[in-house]
Amino acid sequence: MTPNDRKYTKEHEWVKINGSIAEIGITDHAQQALGDIVFVELPNIDDTVSAGDSAAVVESVKAVSNIYTAAEGRIVEVNESLDERPELLNENPYENFIFKVEFTKVDENALISAEEYDAFVESEA
Amino acid sequence: MDALKKTPLYDTHIALSGKIVDFGGWALPVQYSSILEEHKAVRERAGLFDVSHMGEIEVRGSGAFEFLQHMLTNDLTGMQPGRCRYSPVCYEDGGTVDDILVYKHSDDRFLLIVNASNTEKDYEWFASHAPKDVIVENQSASWGQIALQGPKFMRVLEIAGTRGDIPQKNYTFTENFSVAGIDCMISRTGYTGEDGVEIYCKAQDTPKLHSKLMEAGKEVQLLPCGLGARDTLRFEASMPLYGHELSSEITPKEAGLHFAIKTAKPEFIGREALLEPEKRTRIGLKLIDRGIAREHSDVYLNDSLAGFVTSGGVAPTLGGNYAMALVDSRLANEEFFEIDVRGRKIKAQKVALPFYKRSN
């Protein structure tokens, strides 16, 4: 089930907003499409990111995928456990964020609900 | 994907939930379960690959031996029937047409196993050079091919039931063989760095052969393996892949395949060019900094361009990230290089090839 407690992008990221912090990760569909994830290039704390920027890179054995941010602001936390265990994104994509942004603005137009996201994935298949 | 060519095992791949991709025009599974799991199965137990897309070209006639001596960089002199030999095929300028496996039936009949995406090109190349006493025939469509690889492969054959002599030595084959009652040819060859066999059968028998081997493999927990694992396995074993370590722009000498270039042979296509010292050399690199260097990444030595990555990625059995690179031969003995990964210079240390060598 695609969790209802957050929003999604058509680039297959999830965005979970708590106050002024946006958590960003990848969807179950994304991890399945990528296959075994073997490396995550995390942003640096205090990097400033604009909406639509590629803020991180997730690499599987065969593919390289940019992780875009729909939230604009400053990186305040990165999931360092992904350095040692990038496969956490395969095992539990919705429980493992990649980075958190203290945002000044969120690109609401880029965000869709869980239901809309599921329909989007369906339509892409 | 309708326009893609299908091997006789296409329906098998779908039934086994293979993730189908376009591989040089062929619809083939990149993986079934997980590339890393499949890789591990081959290193520790056994794995089964559909390699039916590979091309088979028969060369026969009274002039077959002499013809191949002219076409191949390796030397077939003294080769016995029932033996396989690896050889590059070159253009006059030393660039590589393909790298192939030659099966010798007799002095006047050989079977060439060629890379799938090169089949048409190779057929044209051989056919256009063939003298009157040689027939070159593209038999690719009539053959199916399955690779059974990994330390437990013999047990799988035993359970499946065989008739005929299982080839005992590497690079030998048995022509009149059968596995699970299916007529085939079997060779002690592979492209994974593990022990194993490759089995050739009639195209229409391939699904049955695959399902019999899957069944026989249950005891050793054999996994069906896709192209993803085939690539990580050959990469870890540092075997060249045409289009990456070899191409019309890269000579086999640059790729380090000296063992298969016999310039002592008085004449063959590409000989003069291959007598020249190579300007570039294939080297192995282990990444020290975090990151993955993919194909085409630039390789630097002290901030000046030294070459480029031909294949790069994770080496699952060894752990860590590695790359094969083609660098300026004058720099090939240096120890530390840097690889440009998305604008960041990542440190890498030269290591011996192959990265992985099985112990036995």
Side-chain angles (χ1 to χ4, degrees), chain B residues 244-275:
Chain B
H244 302 260
E245 284 69 38
L246 290 170
S247 72
S248 60
E249 307 295 316
I250 305 174
T251 73
K253 201 167 170 182
E254 291 175 313
L257 303 169
H258 300 88
F259 72 94
I261 305 167
K262 299 290 164 57
T263 44
K265 202 166 62 162
E267 191 279 333
F268 62 85
I269 299 179
R271 181 175 179 274
E272 278 63 42
L274 292 170
L275 284 169

Side-chain angles (χ1 to χ4, degrees), chain B residues 4 33 40 50 60 78 81 104 110 142 161 167 178 184 211 241 248 270 299 302:
Chain B
L4 296 179
S33 47
K40 195 170 169 193
D50 177 14
R60 61 178 186 268
K104 178 171 179 174
F110 297 83
S142 49
S178 87
C184 58
S211 90
L241 174 57
S248 60
V299 177
N302 303 326

